[in-house]
Every structure is written in C-alpha cells, then in structure tokens.
Amino acid sequence: MKTMTRILGAAAIAAASVAGAGTAGADHDGVPTVSPDHVDALILPGQSIEIEKTIGLPNLPPVLDVCLIVDLSGSYNDDLGNIKALAPGIWDALAAEVGDLQMGLASFVDFPFSPWGSAGFGDYAYRLDQQLTPAKATWVAAVNAMATRSGNDFPESQYEALYQVATGAGNDVPPPGSSLGDVAPDQQCDYREDATKVVVLTTDAAFHNAGDAGPFPYPGASAAATTTALQAAGIKVIGLKAGLAGGELDALAAATGGAVVPTSSDSSDIA
C-alpha cells in the first residue's frame, strides 16, 4: 500500500524527517513496516516536498470461530451417528483452511411440554454442550457424548437455540416457580472479537415460532428476535438442511450473510 506525505517549510531553513518502522513489507514478527523508513530534506518557507511511502502489511492467518448446533429430536437419530463419525474430519478440513480455529457445540430438542416436546424423554429447548475450544479432542468428545431424545411434534426449538447462542439471555418459562423447560442463562458461544463468527445449524425439521399454540403460547424466541440477535452479534448462519426442514434456514442465512447446504436425509455427506 502506498501513501503520499506532504511536508511544508515552517522556518527559514528546516530539516524534515518522517520516521517509519523498518523496511518494505512485514518483518519476521508480522509487524507492519514503512519504506523508506526516514527521509531527510532541506526546504525553504512556503516550499513543500512529496514523499512516497510504501506500507507493508503482514499476511495474518484467518481467525474462525464455529459453533455447531445439532438437532437431537428423534427424527435425527440416523443423522447423529454420521455426524459423530465425520466430526474429526470436519475439524481437520476447517483447520486446514484457517490459521486459528475454535469450535463449540450446542444442541436442542424442544420445550418439554406436550405437544411440543416430552419431559419423560428429557427434552430441552437449548443446551451449550461445549464452549468454543481450540482443542480438537475436547470438541470431538463432546460430539460423541450427544444422544437423541423425542421432540414429539414435527417443529422444534431452532430459533430458541440460535437466539441463546447469540445472546446467552436464558429463558424463564411458565408456569411461575417451575424450572421445567427453563433455559439457563450464560450459555452463549463466546466468540472472539477478531474472529469470523459462524453458527452451523443441522436440522431436518421446521421451526417453532414464538406464540405457537399449546398449553400456553410457545415460549421460544421469534424469527424476528433471532434474526436481530444474530445480526447484532455479527454471526453468520450456515444451514445444513436435511429431510423436511423448511425455508427458515434460508431466511436466516440470507439475513446474516451465510448459506444453506442441503444434505442427505441421514447427513452422511455433512462434511
């Protein structure tokens, strides 16, 4: 990158010196450099000189934080085994493309109230299973520990999961005084400020939206609130859409600068 510096004479005879930091290009520590590193010139009052400076910027490796959110409703049982088998290769493929990778893991089923989900099967609307980590073995172990539940009806709590990943706000679900169905706060993915922030959502179902009919209005996040939260956090949505998943992923990806990738019904091609 080149820039021009104009120096004006301010005294009868002035000596001007413009200091830089080394020679052209980035040095071995990756520090930006300026060339020439200094200029000495004699100028008279009212005169000026132009100095062309070349600034060398280092090639910094990309920083990538990815939180994988997995649908653990019953219909995803055939997908989960493939995700576990492919997890090490997914990590390796991403690590080969970036200089600094962290991955996290979250999951969802649905709120454990009929008809949305099942308390007896241990359904939940959202859970952070592994905070973002640079350790492949730690992340793969968390993936291998996952197990499917029920999910009862067809739509699930994808919006709630995405909202919690972005905000960590938690959700105090009715009825008052009961903890059944509550989402604990502070379960957001702790993305680094300088990272490209990505959430990858795998699902084969439609999304429940706030206010859907049930024993009380569906307590999960709305499409609008989720979209706003993701945009505010600078998180891109990559949707891995299997089975009968609908257009909700497409809308979220479009709104956040992400993408949707259709996968086979058992996610065998997820990598």
Side-chain angles (χ1 to χ4, degrees), residues 18-66:
V18 180
T23 56
D27 67 16
H28 67 280
D29 291 321
V31 177
T33 59
V34 179
S35 178
D37 60 353
H38 71 277
V39 173
D40 295 319
L42 295 175
I43 55 177
L44 298 176
Q47 294 180 329
S48 66
I49 61 172
E50 289 187 348
I51 302 168
E52 184 176 278
K53 309 287 285 186
T54 300
I55 302 173
L57 299 177
N59 293 320
L60 298 177
V63 180
L64 177 63
D65 285 350
V66 179

mmCIF file of all heavy atoms in Angstrom, residues 18-66:
data_model
loop_
_atom_site.group_PDB
_atom_site.id
_atom_site.type_symbol
_atom_site.label_atom_id
_atom_site.label_comp_id
_atom_site.label_asym_id
_atom_site.label_seq_id
_atom_site.Cartn_x
_atom_site.Cartn_y
_atom_site.Cartn_z
ATOM 1 N N VAL A 18 10.679 11.976 8.397
ATOM 2 C CA VAL A 18 9.495 11.161 8.587
ATOM 3 C C VAL A 18 9.948 9.766 8.967
ATOM 4 O O VAL A 18 10.621 9.102 8.179
ATOM 5 C CB VAL A 18 8.625 11.113 7.310
ATOM 6 C CG1 VAL A 18 7.393 10.267 7.538
ATOM 7 C CG2 VAL A 18 8.245 12.517 6.890
ATOM 8 N N ALA A 19 9.646 9.342 10.154
ATOM 9 C CA ALA A 19 10.132 8.051 10.644
ATOM 10 C C ALA A 19 9.126 6.964 10.356
ATOM 11 O O ALA A 19 7.926 7.170 10.436
ATOM 12 C CB ALA A 19 10.402 8.128 12.138
ATOM 13 N N GLY A 20 9.634 5.780 10.040
ATOM 14 C CA GLY A 20 8.779 4.614 9.841
ATOM 15 C C GLY A 20 9.222 3.496 10.752
ATOM 16 O O GLY A 20 9.776 3.734 11.801
ATOM 17 N N ALA A 21 8.994 2.247 10.320
ATOM 18 C CA ALA A 21 9.337 1.104 11.167
ATOM 19 C C ALA A 21 9.923 -0.001 10.317
ATOM 20 O O ALA A 21 9.255 -0.951 9.973
ATOM 21 C CB ALA A 21 8.115 0.604 11.914
ATOM 22 N N GLY A 22 11.172 0.153 9.924
ATOM 23 C CA GLY A 22 11.820 -0.935 9.206
ATOM 24 C C GLY A 22 11.799 -0.730 7.710
ATOM 25 O O GLY A 22 11.774 0.383 7.212
ATOM 26 N N THR A 23 11.789 -1.823 6.948
ATOM 27 C CA THR A 23 11.845 -1.792 5.501
ATOM 28 C C THR A 23 10.527 -2.256 4.929
ATOM 29 O O THR A 23 9.621 -2.665 5.638
ATOM 30 C CB THR A 23 12.976 -2.711 5.007
ATOM 31 O OG1 THR A 23 12.750 -4.025 5.527
ATOM 32 C CG2 THR A 23 14.330 -2.232 5.507
ATOM 33 N N ALA A 24 10.437 -2.197 3.582
ATOM 34 C CA ALA A 24 9.169 -2.543 2.931
ATOM 35 C C ALA A 24 8.769 -3.965 3.241
ATOM 36 O O ALA A 24 9.606 -4.856 3.344
ATOM 37 C CB ALA A 24 9.319 -2.361 1.421
ATOM 38 N N GLY A 25 7.453 -4.169 3.354
ATOM 39 C CA GLY A 25 6.933 -5.488 3.689
ATOM 40 C C GLY A 25 6.829 -5.661 5.182
ATOM 41 O O GLY A 25 7.263 -4.821 5.960
ATOM 42 N N ALA A 26 6.256 -6.758 5.609
ATOM 43 C CA ALA A 26 6.142 -7.039 7.043
ATOM 44 C C ALA A 26 7.415 -7.722 7.525
ATOM 45 O O ALA A 26 8.023 -8.504 6.801
ATOM 46 C CB ALA A 26 4.934 -7.934 7.296
ATOM 47 N N ASP A 27 7.824 -7.392 8.750
ATOM 48 C CA ASP A 27 9.016 -8.033 9.274
ATOM 49 C C ASP A 27 8.689 -9.441 9.768
ATOM 50 O O ASP A 27 7.560 -9.911 9.665
ATOM 51 C CB ASP A 27 9.676 -7.184 10.362
ATOM 52 C CG ASP A 27 8.828 -7.062 11.626
ATOM 53 O OD1 ASP A 27 7.889 -7.856 11.795
ATOM 54 O OD2 ASP A 27 9.101 -6.161 12.437
ATOM 55 N N HIS A 28 9.695 -10.120 10.334
ATOM 56 C CA HIS A 28 9.514 -11.528 10.703
ATOM 57 C C HIS A 28 8.535 -11.712 11.857
ATOM 58 O O HIS A 28 8.066 -12.815 12.094
ATOM 59 C CB HIS A 28 10.865 -12.160 11.045
ATOM 60 C CG HIS A 28 11.485 -11.609 12.291
ATOM 61 N ND1 HIS A 28 12.159 -10.406 12.312
ATOM 62 C CD2 HIS A 28 11.528 -12.085 13.564
ATOM 63 C CE1 HIS A 28 12.608 -10.167 13.540
ATOM 64 N NE2 HIS A 28 12.232 -11.166 14.321
ATOM 65 N N ASP A 29 8.216 -10.607 12.568
ATOM 66 C CA ASP A 29 7.231 -10.702 13.647
ATOM 67 C C ASP A 29 5.830 -10.361 13.170
ATOM 68 O O ASP A 29 4.896 -10.294 13.967
ATOM 69 C CB ASP A 29 7.621 -9.760 14.799
ATOM 70 C CG ASP A 29 8.881 -10.235 15.510
ATOM 71 O OD1 ASP A 29 9.008 -11.461 15.677
ATOM 72 O OD2 ASP A 29 9.709 -9.390 15.887
ATOM 73 N N GLY A 30 5.664 -10.118 11.869
ATOM 74 C CA GLY A 30 4.347 -9.778 11.349
ATOM 75 C C GLY A 30 3.943 -8.348 11.638
ATOM 76 O O GLY A 30 2.767 -8.013 11.591
ATOM 77 N N VAL A 31 4.923 -7.459 11.917
ATOM 78 C CA VAL A 31 4.630 -6.065 12.233
ATOM 79 C C VAL A 31 4.595 -5.270 10.933
ATOM 80 O O VAL A 31 5.492 -5.396 10.091
ATOM 81 C CB VAL A 31 5.695 -5.485 13.187
ATOM 82 C CG1 VAL A 31 5.421 -4.017 13.461
ATOM 83 C CG2 VAL A 31 5.720 -6.294 14.477
ATOM 84 N N PRO A 32 3.578 -4.408 10.720
ATOM 85 C CA PRO A 32 3.560 -3.568 9.514
ATOM 86 C C PRO A 32 4.821 -2.715 9.432
ATOM 87 O O PRO A 32 5.348 -2.252 10.446
ATOM 88 C CB PRO A 32 2.314 -2.712 9.710
ATOM 89 C CG PRO A 32 1.444 -3.504 10.640
ATOM 90 C CD PRO A 32 2.389 -4.213 11.548
ATOM 91 N N THR A 33 5.321 -2.478 8.210
ATOM 92 C CA THR A 33 6.550 -1.726 8.012
ATOM 93 C C THR A 33 6.326 -0.592 7.022
ATOM 94 O O THR A 33 5.349 -0.576 6.281
ATOM 95 C CB THR A 33 7.672 -2.642 7.501
ATOM 96 O OG1 THR A 33 7.249 -3.239 6.270
ATOM 97 C CG2 THR A 33 7.979 -3.742 8.505
ATOM 98 N N VAL A 34 7.253 0.370 7.001
ATOM 99 C CA VAL A 34 7.163 1.532 6.134
ATOM 100 C C VAL A 34 8.499 1.696 5.419
ATOM 101 O O VAL A 34 9.571 1.571 6.029
ATOM 102 C CB VAL A 34 6.837 2.806 6.945
ATOM 103 C CG1 VAL A 34 6.782 4.025 6.022
ATOM 104 C CG2 VAL A 34 5.528 2.641 7.693
ATOM 105 N N SER A 35 8.445 1.991 4.121
ATOM 106 C CA SER A 35 9.657 2.223 3.347
ATOM 107 C C SER A 35 9.445 3.427 2.422
ATOM 108 O O SER A 35 8.402 3.515 1.771
ATOM 109 C CB SER A 35 10.004 0.976 2.526
ATOM 110 O OG SER A 35 11.146 1.205 1.729
ATOM 111 N N PRO A 36 10.402 4.368 2.357
ATOM 112 C CA PRO A 36 11.639 4.396 3.155
ATOM 113 C C PRO A 36 11.337 4.687 4.611
ATOM 114 O O PRO A 36 10.352 5.314 4.941
ATOM 115 C CB PRO A 36 12.434 5.537 2.505
ATOM 116 C CG PRO A 36 11.397 6.415 1.907
ATOM 117 C CD PRO A 36 10.311 5.513 1.437
ATOM 118 N N ASP A 37 12.229 4.215 5.484
ATOM 119 C CA ASP A 37 11.937 4.346 6.910
ATOM 120 C C ASP A 37 12.162 5.765 7.422
ATOM 121 O O ASP A 37 11.681 6.126 8.494
ATOM 122 C CB ASP A 37 12.732 3.332 7.729
ATOM 123 C CG ASP A 37 14.243 3.509 7.564
ATOM 124 O OD1 ASP A 37 14.662 4.320 6.714
ATOM 125 O OD2 ASP A 37 14.990 2.828 8.282
ATOM 126 N N HIS A 38 12.924 6.613 6.678
ATOM 127 C CA HIS A 38 13.030 8.018 7.041
ATOM 128 C C HIS A 38 13.459 8.803 5.812
ATOM 129 O O HIS A 38 14.013 8.251 4.851
ATOM 130 C CB HIS A 38 14.018 8.222 8.196
ATOM 131 C CG HIS A 38 15.443 8.015 7.796
ATOM 132 N ND1 HIS A 38 16.013 6.760 7.732
ATOM 133 C CD2 HIS A 38 16.397 8.906 7.427
ATOM 134 C CE1 HIS A 38 17.273 6.874 7.358
ATOM 135 N NE2 HIS A 38 17.531 8.160 7.154
ATOM 136 N N VAL A 39 13.177 10.089 5.853
ATOM 137 C CA VAL A 39 13.559 10.991 4.769
ATOM 138 C C VAL A 39 14.134 12.257 5.382
ATOM 139 O O VAL A 39 13.519 12.856 6.276
ATOM 140 C CB VAL A 39 12.341 11.341 3.877
ATOM 141 C CG1 VAL A 39 12.735 12.408 2.857
ATOM 142 C CG2 VAL A 39 11.822 10.099 3.182
ATOM 143 N N ASP A 40 15.309 12.704 4.925
ATOM 144 C CA ASP A 40 15.908 13.975 5.336
ATOM 145 C C ASP A 40 15.876 14.926 4.149
ATOM 146 O O ASP A 40 16.305 14.560 3.037
ATOM 147 C CB ASP A 40 17.361 13.773 5.799
ATOM 148 C CG ASP A 40 17.446 12.924 7.067
ATOM 149 O OD1 ASP A 40 16.597 13.131 7.952
ATOM 150 O OD2 ASP A 40 18.335 12.060 7.145
ATOM 151 N N ALA A 41 15.356 16.131 4.365
ATOM 152 C CA ALA A 41 15.277 17.101 3.275
ATOM 153 C C ALA A 41 15.360 18.508 3.837
ATOM 154 O O ALA A 41 14.913 18.769 4.956
ATOM 155 C CB ALA A 41 13.978 16.920 2.499
ATOM 156 N N LEU A 42 15.954 19.412 3.059
ATOM 157 C CA LEU A 42 16.009 20.825 3.405
ATOM 158 C C LEU A 42 14.975 21.561 2.570
ATOM 159 O O LEU A 42 14.973 21.455 1.335
ATOM 160 C CB LEU A 42 17.397 21.405 3.142
ATOM 161 C CG LEU A 42 18.541 20.850 4.004
ATOM 162 C CD1 LEU A 42 19.867 21.428 3.536
ATOM 163 C CD2 LEU A 42 18.297 21.145 5.469
ATOM 164 N N ILE A 43 14.091 22.299 3.219
ATOM 165 C CA ILE A 43 13.058 23.038 2.500
ATOM 166 C C ILE A 43 12.997 24.458 3.033
ATOM 167 O O ILE A 43 13.270 24.727 4.204
ATOM 168 C CB ILE A 43 11.683 22.359 2.627
ATOM 169 C CG1 ILE A 43 11.316 22.156 4.098
ATOM 170 C CG2 ILE A 43 11.639 21.046 1.878
ATOM 171 C CD1 ILE A 43 9.937 21.562 4.291
ATOM 172 N N LEU A 44 12.628 25.385 2.146
ATOM 173 C CA LEU A 44 12.506 26.793 2.490
ATOM 174 C C LEU A 44 11.078 27.119 2.885
ATOM 175 O O LEU A 44 10.146 26.379 2.537
ATOM 176 C CB LEU A 44 12.936 27.649 1.299
ATOM 177 C CG LEU A 44 14.398 27.494 0.847
ATOM 178 C CD1 LEU A 44 14.664 28.321 -0.397
ATOM 179 C CD2 LEU A 44 15.357 27.875 1.969
ATOM 180 N N PRO A 45 10.867 28.217 3.606
ATOM 181 C CA PRO A 45 9.496 28.603 3.968
ATOM 182 C C PRO A 45 8.600 28.693 2.737
ATOM 183 O O PRO A 45 8.986 29.265 1.717
ATOM 184 C CB PRO A 45 9.679 29.969 4.632
ATOM 185 C CG PRO A 45 11.070 29.941 5.167
ATOM 186 C CD PRO A 45 11.865 29.155 4.163
ATOM 187 N N GLY A 46 7.426 28.079 2.817
ATOM 188 C CA GLY A 46 6.471 28.087 1.711
ATOM 189 C C GLY A 46 6.673 26.977 0.715
ATOM 190 O O GLY A 46 5.807 26.729 -0.135
ATOM 191 N N GLN A 47 7.811 26.286 0.762
ATOM 192 C CA GLN A 47 8.050 25.172 -0.135
ATOM 193 C C GLN A 47 7.482 23.881 0.446
ATOM 194 O O GLN A 47 7.167 23.807 1.643
ATOM 195 C CB GLN A 47 9.550 25.003 -0.392
ATOM 196 C CG GLN A 47 10.198 26.137 -1.150
ATOM 197 C CD GLN A 47 11.673 25.903 -1.362
ATOM 198 O OE1 GLN A 47 12.345 25.268 -0.534
ATOM 199 N NE2 GLN A 47 12.198 26.408 -2.480
ATOM 200 N N SER A 48 7.371 22.887 -0.397
ATOM 201 C CA SER A 48 6.899 21.585 0.078
ATOM 202 C C SER A 48 7.557 20.493 -0.745
ATOM 203 O O SER A 48 8.037 20.731 -1.854
ATOM 204 C CB SER A 48 5.371 21.481 -0.037
ATOM 205 O OG SER A 48 4.975 21.500 -1.390
ATOM 206 N N ILE A 49 7.583 19.316 -0.197
ATOM 207 C CA ILE A 49 8.031 18.134 -0.928
ATOM 208 C C ILE A 49 7.010 17.021 -0.729
ATOM 209 O O ILE A 49 6.274 17.004 0.255
ATOM 210 C CB ILE A 49 9.424 17.656 -0.460
ATOM 211 C CG1 ILE A 49 9.389 17.271 1.024
ATOM 212 C CG2 ILE A 49 10.487 18.690 -0.737
ATOM 213 C CD1 ILE A 49 10.677 16.611 1.497
ATOM 214 N N GLU A 50 6.953 16.140 -1.679
ATOM 215 C CA GLU A 50 6.087 14.968 -1.562
ATOM 216 C C GLU A 50 6.950 13.729 -1.418
ATOM 217 O O GLU A 50 7.938 13.548 -2.148
ATOM 218 C CB GLU A 50 5.181 14.833 -2.787
ATOM 219 C CG GLU A 50 4.090 15.887 -2.849
ATOM 220 C CD GLU A 50 3.098 15.641 -3.973
ATOM 221 O OE1 GLU A 50 3.388 14.783 -4.827
ATOM 222 O OE2 GLU A 50 2.056 16.299 -3.983
ATOM 223 N N ILE A 51 6.597 12.906 -0.464
ATOM 224 C CA ILE A 51 7.355 11.690 -0.183
ATOM 225 C C ILE A 51 6.430 10.494 -0.362
ATOM 226 O O ILE A 51 5.358 10.431 0.243
ATOM 227 C CB ILE A 51 7.910 11.706 1.248
ATOM 228 C CG1 ILE A 51 8.799 12.943 1.460
ATOM 229 C CG2 ILE A 51 8.681 10.426 1.543
ATOM 230 C CD1 ILE A 51 9.146 13.183 2.906
ATOM 231 N N GLU A 52 6.838 9.581 -1.215
ATOM 232 C CA GLU A 52 6.047 8.356 -1.421
ATOM 233 C C GLU A 52 6.508 7.303 -0.430
ATOM 234 O O GLU A 52 7.681 6.945 -0.382
ATOM 235 C CB GLU A 52 6.206 7.842 -2.844
ATOM 236 C CG GLU A 52 5.330 6.619 -3.138
ATOM 237 C CD GLU A 52 5.438 6.182 -4.586
ATOM 238 O OE1 GLU A 52 4.759 6.778 -5.446
ATOM 239 O OE2 GLU A 52 6.216 5.246 -4.849
ATOM 240 N N LYS A 53 5.565 6.826 0.384
ATOM 241 C CA LYS A 53 5.863 5.814 1.402
ATOM 242 C C LYS A 53 5.132 4.513 1.042
ATOM 243 O O LYS A 53 3.950 4.528 0.685
ATOM 244 C CB LYS A 53 5.406 6.279 2.784
ATOM 245 C CG LYS A 53 5.891 7.670 3.174
ATOM 246 C CD LYS A 53 7.360 7.678 3.510
ATOM 247 C CE LYS A 53 7.630 7.079 4.854
ATOM 248 N NZ LYS A 53 9.044 7.198 5.255
ATOM 249 N N THR A 54 5.824 3.418 1.136
ATOM 250 C CA THR A 54 5.211 2.105 0.928
ATOM 251 C C THR A 54 5.028 1.425 2.279
ATOM 252 O O THR A 54 5.994 1.247 3.028
ATOM 253 C CB THR A 54 6.083 1.226 0.014
ATOM 254 O OG1 THR A 54 6.233 1.885 -1.254
ATOM 255 C CG2 THR A 54 5.434 -0.136 -0.189
ATOM 256 N N ILE A 55 3.782 1.065 2.595
ATOM 257 C CA ILE A 55 3.464 0.415 3.866
ATOM 258 C C ILE A 55 3.240 -1.069 3.617
ATOM 259 O O ILE A 55 2.387 -1.451 2.808
ATOM 260 C CB ILE A 55 2.204 1.033 4.502
ATOM 261 C CG1 ILE A 55 2.419 2.542 4.723
ATOM 262 C CG2 ILE A 55 1.868 0.344 5.823
ATOM 263 C CD1 ILE A 55 1.169 3.258 5.193
ATOM 264 N N GLY A 56 4.039 -1.893 4.276
ATOM 265 C CA GLY A 56 3.895 -3.340 4.136
ATOM 266 C C GLY A 56 3.037 -3.903 5.252
ATOM 267 O O GLY A 56 3.310 -3.685 6.430
ATOM 268 N N LEU A 57 1.965 -4.585 4.893
ATOM 269 C CA LEU A 57 1.066 -5.170 5.877
ATOM 270 C C LEU A 57 1.277 -6.680 5.938
ATOM 271 O O LEU A 57 1.414 -7.327 4.896
ATOM 272 C CB LEU A 57 -0.391 -4.874 5.519
ATOM 273 C CG LEU A 57 -0.765 -3.395 5.459
ATOM 274 C CD1 LEU A 57 -2.211 -3.231 5.018
ATOM 275 C CD2 LEU A 57 -0.539 -2.733 6.810
ATOM 276 N N PRO A 58 1.291 -7.274 7.127
ATOM 277 C CA PRO A 58 1.521 -8.719 7.246
ATOM 278 C C PRO A 58 0.327 -9.510 6.737
ATOM 279 O O PRO A 58 -0.806 -9.037 6.752
ATOM 280 C CB PRO A 58 1.701 -8.921 8.755
ATOM 281 C CG PRO A 58 0.930 -7.805 9.372
ATOM 282 C CD PRO A 58 1.089 -6.633 8.433
ATOM 283 N N ASN A 59 0.590 -10.706 6.272
ATOM 284 C CA ASN A 59 -0.470 -11.641 5.913
ATOM 285 C C ASN A 59 -0.903 -12.381 7.164
ATOM 286 O O ASN A 59 -0.262 -13.337 7.588
ATOM 287 C CB ASN A 59 0.018 -12.634 4.849
ATOM 288 C CG ASN A 59 0.288 -11.953 3.530
ATOM 289 O OD1 ASN A 59 -0.457 -11.082 3.115
ATOM 290 N ND2 ASN A 59 1.366 -12.352 2.866
ATOM 291 N N LEU A 60 -1.976 -11.898 7.782
ATOM 292 C CA LEU A 60 -2.426 -12.503 9.029
ATOM 293 C C LEU A 60 -3.283 -13.726 8.745
ATOM 294 O O LEU A 60 -4.143 -13.698 7.849
ATOM 295 C CB LEU A 60 -3.231 -11.479 9.833
ATOM 296 C CG LEU A 60 -2.461 -10.224 10.249
ATOM 297 C CD1 LEU A 60 -3.396 -9.261 10.963
ATOM 298 C CD2 LEU A 60 -1.283 -10.584 11.134
ATOM 299 N N PRO A 61 -3.090 -14.822 9.455
ATOM 300 C CA PRO A 61 -3.923 -16.006 9.236
ATOM 301 C C PRO A 61 -5.350 -15.738 9.666
ATOM 302 O O PRO A 61 -5.603 -14.994 10.618
ATOM 303 C CB PRO A 61 -3.279 -17.074 10.134
ATOM 304 C CG PRO A 61 -2.578 -16.285 11.191
ATOM 305 C CD PRO A 61 -2.112 -15.027 10.522
ATOM 306 N N PRO A 62 -6.344 -16.328 8.974
ATOM 307 C CA PRO A 62 -7.741 -16.119 9.361
ATOM 308 C C PRO A 62 -8.016 -16.670 10.760
ATOM 309 O O PRO A 62 -7.406 -17.642 11.198
ATOM 310 C CB PRO A 62 -8.519 -16.928 8.303
ATOM 311 C CG PRO A 62 -7.569 -17.173 7.196
ATOM 312 C CD PRO A 62 -6.207 -17.188 7.801
ATOM 313 N N VAL A 63 -8.928 -16.017 11.448
ATOM 314 C CA VAL A 63 -9.383 -16.453 12.760
ATOM 315 C C VAL A 63 -10.842 -16.850 12.619
ATOM 316 O O VAL A 63 -11.678 -16.040 12.225
ATOM 317 C CB VAL A 63 -9.227 -15.333 13.809
ATOM 318 C CG1 VAL A 63 -9.706 -15.799 15.171
ATOM 319 C CG2 VAL A 63 -7.773 -14.880 13.882
ATOM 320 N N LEU A 64 -11.167 -18.099 12.922
ATOM 321 C CA LEU A 64 -12.509 -18.623 12.694
ATOM 322 C C LEU A 64 -13.045 -19.284 13.952
ATOM 323 O O LEU A 64 -12.393 -20.144 14.537
ATOM 324 C CB LEU A 64 -12.486 -19.651 11.557
ATOM 325 C CG LEU A 64 -13.809 -20.362 11.228
ATOM 326 C CD1 LEU A 64 -14.861 -19.370 10.744
ATOM 327 C CD2 LEU A 64 -13.580 -21.447 10.173
ATOM 328 N N ASP A 65 -14.244 -18.859 14.378
ATOM 329 C CA ASP A 65 -14.962 -19.490 15.484
ATOM 330 C C ASP A 65 -16.263 -20.075 14.943
ATOM 331 O O ASP A 65 -17.076 -19.357 14.346
ATOM 332 C CB ASP A 65 -15.290 -18.471 16.584
ATOM 333 C CG ASP A 65 -14.069 -18.091 17.411
ATOM 334 O OD1 ASP A 65 -13.024 -18.742 17.266
ATOM 335 O OD2 ASP A 65 -14.167 -17.133 18.200
ATOM 336 N N VAL A 66 -16.453 -21.362 15.142
ATOM 337 C CA VAL A 66 -17.634 -22.066 14.628
ATOM 338 C C VAL A 66 -18.349 -22.767 15.768
ATOM 339 O O VAL A 66 -17.736 -23.566 16.490
ATOM 340 C CB VAL A 66 -17.241 -23.123 13.561
ATOM 341 C CG1 VAL A 66 -18.485 -23.852 13.062
ATOM 342 C CG2 VAL A 66 -16.506 -22.471 12.407
#
